[in-house]
Amino acid sequence: MLSTRPLLIVALLSAPLLLAGCTTYTFPDGSQETLWGVPADDETLTREERDRQAPRYRVPGEMPE
């Protein structure tokens, strides 16, 4: 007979690892969508330049520029 306790512990410990790659986007109309991955940032910008930029929104299913 298999004990369900070790399976439950493994499931609970692995859940945060599975969600680590998720990003939730909130669009101007208030809708939200959770997608895999993190949007790429321009690495040539300084911190001050990045802080001054307006938020960028990604349309699900379309490739960003």
Side-chain angles (χ1 to χ4, degrees):
M1 179 175 161
L2 288 173
S3 175
T4 59
R5 187 176 203 121
L7 294 176
L8 179 63
I9 291 172
V10 169
L12 290 175
L13 292 176
S14 62
L17 294 175
L18 294 173
L19 295 175
C22 289
T23 301
T24 301
Y25 291 99
T26 302
F27 297 96
D29 64 357
S31 63
Q32 293 183 336
E33 185 170 344
T34 301
L35 304 171
W36 286 102
V38 177
D41 288 331
D42 186 358
E43 296 178 3
T44 61
L45 298 176
T46 64
R47 181 177 177 185
E48 290 80 19
E49 289 172 328
R50 270 186 258 127
D51 289 343
R52 279 184 271 152
Q53 286 183 332
R56 295 176 297 151
Y57 297 101
R58 181 176 172 265
V59 177
E62 291 185 13
M63 292 296 294
E65 301 160 359

